[in-house]
Structures are given as structure tokens and as C-alpha cells.
Amino acid sequence: MADRSILLQGGLVLTHSSSPDDHVIPLHDTDVLIVGNVISQIAKGIKAPSKDTETIDCRGKIVSPGFIDTHHHLWQTQLKGRHADEGLVAYMVSGNMVSYAYTSSDVYWGQLAGCLEAINCGTTLVLDHAHVVYTPEHANAAIAATADSGIRSIFAYSVALRMTEWSETGCVPSGELLPEWALSQLGRLVEQYNRNPQDHDATVEIGLGFDLWFLPKDMILGLLKELGSKGLRVVTTHVSRNALQGFHSVIQLLSSYDLLQPPYPPPGTYTGGGARLPFLLLSHCNGVEEEDLSVVASKGAPISSTPDTEAQMGMGWPVGQHRIFRKGEAKSTNVSLGADCHSNNPSSIVLQARALLQLARLEKNNRIIADGRFPREKVLGSSEAAYNLMTIRGARCLGLENEVGSIALGKKADIVVFDAEHSVGMLAAADHDPVTAIVRFSEAADIDTVIVNGTVRKRDGKIVDVGVSMPLDAERKTIMAWSDIAGEVRKSRKEIQARIDGLNLARGKDVMLSMFHVDESKLVDAS
């Protein structure tokens, strides 16, 4: 890999200053040389180091660091479209519990397509809250698909909300929340994938998705300490405060356990026992009281905001708009962006940044108008602040700002190239301000090239062919075009739907509400 090189020639390269405000500095007519998986030069007039160097003409194009998605459920591809008019209660059954209808093969194709959709939208690093682990085979399939896609991933292993039986007549939940086979497999995976983080070809890190904070403190801390000693670095958890998910303060609980801490990077070398506890990334945090948000900020713990699903599914104003766009808060609160459910909305982190920025402005303007006043000239936030959520701040929330998140010497080559010259939507905007052009006017179709870890994963506006390892026991991978992968996903979707048709979804909803101890008198339709 060290001998392979790519030269991005003559583009408008977006770099970041070293100042605390992460100011974006555009470099016109600039080249970027990638050697192996690392950015080795940024300058004008770079000469190709060898005749085998791949040269990509970036004149008229914007060269950006890859986008970072800190909360996503990548397995859900076959469920796309069914949540468009659903709230969170319905989604919990139709988009979460129906993992019951997935075989390990279904997981592979759903995960692979989910990863490729993210790459197509410019995502190069994703924290995948993978709550699809029904069996060891389901986990193996999801990890294999992630690796095959080439995306950089923190695969947060998470046991599904499992049913032992679900049919037209009944639904029986499993009594095993943390089955022994899962704990055993997770430990092995952490050691296998996280022991050597400096492996140049490694793009997958194992994390943990965990929401079982009602379990005994000693059990939780014992588990995290053991996994931390094996190399587990990141734990992600859903946090919201409302009538469905409860009004108790999970933040105070996590703080009392000393689990809220700043993100930290992978170790240079693995040293085994005595490793620190993993850090927590909190997803959503809608409805969380200001006092608790201040605790999170003071501890430096990271948050992922997913404005599309949060706005639709009744979770409340995205926490990012409360914190990241207010003066003085950007330096004290680690907020990033996630796509959450691409079964409900597109994978594009650009669209999430755009939504968060506009929701922040709406909430602020509404408060001014409600007070009998009117906004003067300036509005809340900026396109640059939103862009930084997609890039360097996202990396910072994962403890990886020294690896990715900006275009800088020595960082991993995770890069997105926009064809601004031929874009319909970015026309004129790119000449005025390239950052605004991306945040406010770009589409996935404008992305010409995506490079992850020094490998081109999207070229000339199309996903490159993928080496597919399904079936998992195959001796060698089969190279497949996107159209063929899409065909497998369609076939899988039909088979999953046939199984879903045999499930009593109403009974499933009753079971879910009972498990979460929901007061149904508090549930109302918004229509």
C-alpha cells in the first residue's frame, strides 16, 4: 500500500486553521498528493512521484475532507421508505424490532448497501450503532459488509431487541438482554480489531452500542472495564428525555458512574490490561435539561445530533441548535452530526448539517418574534460552523481529530471531491464561497470522487465495484457492480417483507411499550 499514490491536481482545497475556531482556509489551484493511505503533500505544482501515480484532474472542483457521521444504523436498507409518515413509537416496531425478520444474509446486503449509500453522500467515517446482533452470524455478516464497503467505521456492536417468538398470534420477548455468546463474541472482536490500530489497511474499529443503564452499577462497570482492558475505546448510547423514554436523568447517572469524559484517540500500540474505561458518545439528548447539558459540556463528553429523525419523530428541538450555534458554547460542547436511520431519510451528512442550521435559526427567530420583536440583519450560526460539524468537529467527537476530519499533512486520506464546475445547484455559489456552496447548495450527485483510507470508493460520480464476501465461507471475494448489489438488496427486501407479513405488529407494539414501561395515556397523535 505504501507505494500506491494518488495526485489530486489543481483543485480548490479546503483546509482548516489551527486556531480554536477551526476557520476554513480555501487554497486555490492546489494539489494534494496521497501516498499509501496518508496525505503527504499539499502544494501547487506537485510532480507525480511515479508513472503509476493515479492523477485526478480537480480543476473546477472543490476538495474537501470526508464527512463524519457519528450516529447511524447502517443495516436498515431494506426498510427504506416505510417510516416517512411514522413517529418514534411506530418506528420502534417497524424499523427496530423487525430485525427479527432478517437472516444473516439479509444483514450483509442491507449493511453493505447502507455503507455504500453513505459513501455516495460523502461520508468517509461512521459510528455505526449496529443494533442488529441477533446471533453471532448476524454480527459477522454486518462486520464483513462494513469491511467490504471500504468505509471507515467504528462498528458499535449492539444486541438487538430480540424476540424468541413472533407470529400472527403472539410476540414473546427474550429474557436475555446480554447473552453470554454476545459478550464472548464482543470480547474476541475487540481484541481482533482493536489491538493494532496502526495497521495501515484497518478501517474498522469495534465499539459498543449500549442502552441498558437500568442494570446494576457493578455489572455495567465490570463489563466496561473488562472490555476496556481488551481495547474497547468507544461506547455509544441513546439519550432523550420525554414521555416515551422517561423523564429520569440518565446524565446524572452516567456522571455518578464517572463515565462522562472527553474522547481520546486509539493508543499508538496496544498494551493490554489496565486500559482506561471507554468514553461515551451520547446520541440525541433531546429534552435533556440545561443543567444536565451543562454537565455534559463540563465533562467534555461528545453528543451526536440527528435533526431529521429527531424533528419528525417527536423527540424535540435538536440539542445541537441549543449549543453549537450559541456564542461561547462551541468551545465547551462537543456536538457532531448523525444520519441515524437511512430507512427514514437520506444518509447525507450535508443534509443533516443544513437541517440543523435552519432549525437553530427557526428556534431563535421564534423566540424573538414571540417577544414582539423581529430579527434585524444577522441570523444565528454560519455555514462554516455547520461545515465543521461535518468534518473536524465530528472527528474530535470520536477522538480521531489527529487522524481525519481535515486535509492536513500526515492525516489519513479521507477526501471528498465536488464537481462544482458542472453542478447545477452549486453554480455561482461555489465562486462566492465554497463552504456555503457545499452546506447550502450541494447534492450527492455533485460528488465526483470519494477516497477512504487512500482508496477511491466513488469515481466519476459512481460507486466503484466492490469485492463481496457473501457467502462468508467463500474462498475468494466476488467483484460486483452497484447494480448487482442493488439487485441482491431488492431480492432480500421481498423475502424480509414476506416474513414481516406474518408478524403481528400490533402485538409487537404492545410488547415494546410494556418493556419500556410506557404510560400510554401520555401518547397522542400529532396529526
Side-chain angles (χ1 to χ4, degrees), residues 191-221:
E191 290 184 316
Q192 176 184 349
Y193 282 86
N194 297 7
R195 275 185 180 272
N196 186 16
Q198 299 305 309
D199 181 351
H200 283 189
D201 288 321
T203 55
V204 176
E205 174 183 353
I206 302 298
L208 171 65
F210 188 84
D211 293 312
L212 307 177
W213 302 109
F214 54 83
L215 293 175
K217 176 182 178 180
D218 290 346
M219 179 185 295
I220 293 172
L221 294 183

Side-chain angles (χ1 to χ4, degrees), residues 249 251-252 287-298 323:
S249 176
I251 299 300
Q252 294 297 329
V288 172
E289 294 181 323
E290 279 294 318
E291 178 184 357
D292 283 352
L293 288 177
S294 295
V295 170
V296 173
S298 69
R323 291 271 161 177

Side-chain angles (χ1 to χ4, degrees), residues 130-186:
H131 53 11
V132 71
V133 178
Y134 243 91
T135 67
E137 291 73 28
H138 284 70
N140 289 337
I143 294 171
T146 303
D148 288 349
S149 77
I151 201 167
R152 192 181 301 280
S153 171
I154 299 175
F155 181 89
Y157 184 108
S158 182
V159 178
L161 182 59
R162 296 179 306 137
M163 304 297 118
T164 58
E165 179 187 346
W166 198 357
S167 65
E168 292 181 346
T169 57
C171 181
V172 180
S174 171
E176 283 188 303
L177 298 175
L178 288 174
E180 183 56 40
W181 59 260
L183 297 176
S184 176
Q185 182 184 39
L186 175 58

Side-chain angles (χ1 to χ4, degrees), residues 26 43 54 69 115 147 169 186 204 242 293 300 330 363 376 389 401 438 445 455 476-477 483:
E54 178 181 0
D69 178 346
C115 291
T169 57
L186 175 58
V204 176
N242 52 52
L293 288 177
E363 194 269 347
R376 190 195 296 270
L389 291 179
E401 68 271 26
I438 290 174
T455 299
R476 64 179 62 185
K477 294 184 179 182
S483 58

Side-chain angles (χ1 to χ4, degrees), residues 89 243-244 506-525:
V89 173
L244 176 66
R507 180 56 186 149
K509 184 178 74 171
D510 291 341
V511 167
M512 182 271 295
L513 294 174
S514 175
M515 292 176 69
F516 289 176
H517 304 288
V518 176
D519 180 356
E520 294 193 53
S521 70
K522 301 294 186 182
L523 304 181
V524 297
D525 284 324

Side-chain angles (χ1 to χ4, degrees), residues 38-54:
V38 173
I39 298 169
S40 67
Q41 289 187 61
I42 305 169
K44 295 179 183 292
I46 297 174
K47 301 298 183 183
S50 75
K51 61 181 178 60
D52 296 323
T53 298
E54 178 181 0

Side-chain angles (χ1 to χ4, degrees), residues 83 180 373 398 475:
H83 315 310
E180 183 56 40
R373 299 177 294 164
L398 297 176
E475 293 185 2

